[in-house]
């Protein structure tokens, strides 16, 4: 019995490095893929279609390296039902984006999360929503001209 418990403890120590290594590997893979298959920057137009994915790949590698460094200090935790809330919410945003569009889904999700889960004040919620709108619409839709899915409702209304 002691050997089995000791073996499980060793496996937990080994597996806690799994996610940071997978995050680093994913970042490196998508960074190389983006660099070789997409345009990062167009001198006359600015950022290309591979700019944001490449930046996110670099950020994945950096986050993975920080996480890898902290693995030795971390104790193993337990997964509760509350841990699955964000996964379910992101799944709902993705599913609903096909119906009402990506931007409205992001805004509805952010608003509901701030008010219901984080219990932010109205002032904090409004300031956060203004920042989110500026980031999502201003930077991604207007400046970088990234097309967001518009959803079936938009297609039915606009035609």
């Amino acid at each position: 019995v002691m050997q089995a418990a000791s073996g499980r403890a060793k496996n937990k120590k080994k597996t806690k490095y799994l996610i940071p290594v997978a995050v680093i590997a994913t970042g490196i893979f998508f960074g190389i893929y983006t660099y070789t298959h997409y345009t990062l920057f167009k001198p006359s137009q600015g950022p290309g279609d591979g700019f944001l994915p490449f930046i996110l790949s670099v950020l994945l590698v950096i986050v993975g390296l920080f996480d890898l460094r902290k693995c030795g200090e971390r104790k193993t935790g337990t997964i509760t039902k509350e841990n699955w809330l964000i996964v379910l919410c992101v799944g709902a945003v993705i599913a609903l984006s096909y119906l009402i569009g990506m931007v409205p889904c992001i805004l509805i999700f952010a608003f509901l999360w701030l008010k219901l889960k984080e219990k932010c004040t109205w002032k904090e919620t409004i300031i956060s929503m203004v920042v989110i709108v500026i980031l999502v619409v201003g930077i991604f839709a207007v400046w970088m001209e990234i097309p967001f899915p518009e959803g079936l409702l938009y297609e039915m209304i606009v035609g």
Side-chain angles (χ1 to χ4, degrees):
V1 177
M2 287 297 280
Q3 286 179 332
S6 174
R8 281 185 286 210
K10 286 182 183 178
N11 285 340
K12 282 186 179 182
K13 285 186 178 187
K14 290 178 186 176
T15 57
K16 68 179 170 182
Y17 294 102
L18 184 64
I19 291 178
V21 170
V23 168
I24 293 168
T26 303
I28 290 171
F29 171 78
F30 282 110
I32 292 169
Y33 185 84
T34 301
Y35 186 77
T36 57
H37 288 79
Y38 295 98
T39 306
L40 295 180
F41 198 80
K42 299 174 186 173
S44 61
Q45 296 176 328
D49 53 358
F51 181 74
L52 184 63
F54 186 77
I55 295 297
L56 293 176
S57 298
V58 171
L59 289 175
L60 270 178
V61 171
I62 291 170
V63 167
L65 289 171
F66 277 116
D67 195 24
L68 190 61
R69 204 177 108 203
K70 293 287 185 182
C71 275
E73 304 167 8
R74 187 178 314 133
K75 296 178 183 176
T76 56
T78 58
I79 297 177
T80 62
K81 289 180 183 179
E82 191 173 288
N83 296 115
W84 290 101
L85 182 61
I86 189 69
V87 175
L88 293 172
C89 288
V90 170
V93 166
I94 292 169
L96 284 174
S97 68
Y98 291 105
L99 181 63
I100 65 171
M102 177 75 70
V103 174
C105 274
I106 291 171
L107 297 177
I108 291 168
F109 166 74
F111 177 80
L112 291 174
W113 190 269
L114 290 170
K115 287 306 290 174
L116 301 177
K117 176 71 175 132
E118 297 298 324
K119 306 216 184 313
C120 292
T121 65
W122 279 104
K123 180 182 176 184
E124 294 168 334
T125 303
I126 291 170
I127 291 171
S128 297
M129 293 305 296
V130 167
V131 169
I132 291 169
V133 167
I134 289 170
L135 289 174
V136 171
V137 176
I139 293 176
F140 295 115
V142 176
W143 179 52
M144 297 178 80
E145 298 176 1
I146 295 175
F148 285 102
E150 293 164 339
L152 295 174
L153 224 58
Y154 179 82
E155 296 292 328
M156 287 174 24
I157 293 169
V158 175

